[in-house]
């Protein structure tokens, strides 16, 4: 059962100021299951979700003295699990499906403001993709929308694997630069 936010703040304070292991255990047992369920939404694997959440708690304990002043401790936990899940997926992937992964991840936001920001960002990304040269865009979309591996793209188009990799690199670079030129200030998890 998840405790009210004021109780969470008190637990964090006891952990940071007093190295309170009992407070840490209480926080862990109150949030572990719900955070695992949250991580599962991204990772689609129970063991990976448990690993991601466990890693977050390890980091909280190891860096307990460095935890900054937090307005919402619950948001801090969820954001930490989300970021850990992203890191886990990034390490697991071979750099395919990165745009769709990040767009899907952003779509999990709930507030109207976040929905609006997500829709604006998705539209900007789509504009950037449409500005790519034809072959570059085709290769990029085959990877993103058709979930094809670089080798499958090379085979289907009759080009070398190196060409596919080069075109994907260019697509990412040009799309990133397009977003940068439009003053889109966001950490682009999906760009290498």
């Amino acid at each position: 059962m998840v405790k009210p936010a004021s109780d969470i703040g008190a637990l964090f304070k006891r952990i940071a100021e007093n190295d309170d292991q009992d407070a840490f255990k209480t926080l862990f047992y109150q949030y572990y299951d719900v955070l695992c369920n949250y991580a599962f939404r991204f990772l689609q694997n129970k063991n990976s979700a448990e690993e991601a959440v466990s890693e977050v708690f390890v980091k909280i304990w190891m860096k307990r003295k460095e935890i900054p002043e937090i307005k919402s401790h619950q948001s801090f936990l969820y954001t930490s699990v989300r970021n850990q899940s992203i890191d886990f997926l990034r390490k697991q992937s071979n750099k395919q499906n990165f745009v769709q992964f990040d767009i899907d991840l952003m779509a999990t936001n709930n507030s109207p403001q976040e929905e609006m920001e997500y829709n604006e960002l998705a539209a900007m990304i789509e504009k950037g993709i449409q500005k790519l040269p034809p072959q570059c865009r085709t290769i990029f979309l085959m990877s993103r929308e058709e979930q094809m591996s670089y080798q499958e793209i090379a085979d289907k188009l009759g080009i070398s694997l190196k060409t596919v990799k080069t075109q994907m690199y260019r697509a990412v670079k040009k799309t990133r630069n397009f977003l940068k030129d439009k003053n889109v200030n966001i950490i682009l998890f999906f760009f290498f």
Side-chain angles (χ1 to χ4, degrees), residues 41-42 82 89 97-109 115 118 122 125 144 147 190:
R41 289 172 45 192
F42 305 113
R82 179 179 173 169
L89 284 171
N97 311 328
F98 42 86
V99 170
Q100 192 60 46
F101 160 72
D102 195 62
I103 288 173
D104 290 344
L105 206 55
M106 288 184 290
T108 64
N109 294 333
E115 282 290 323
Y118 157 73
I125 291 170
R144 174 185 159 202
Q147 313 294 313
F190 48 86

Side-chain angles (χ1 to χ4, degrees), residues 33 57 62 99 106 120 141-142 161 163 172:
D33 288 336
F57 278 103
M62 298 301 291
V99 170
M106 288 184 290
E120 288 175 5
L141 293 174
M142 289 172 81
L161 180 60
T163 300
V172 168

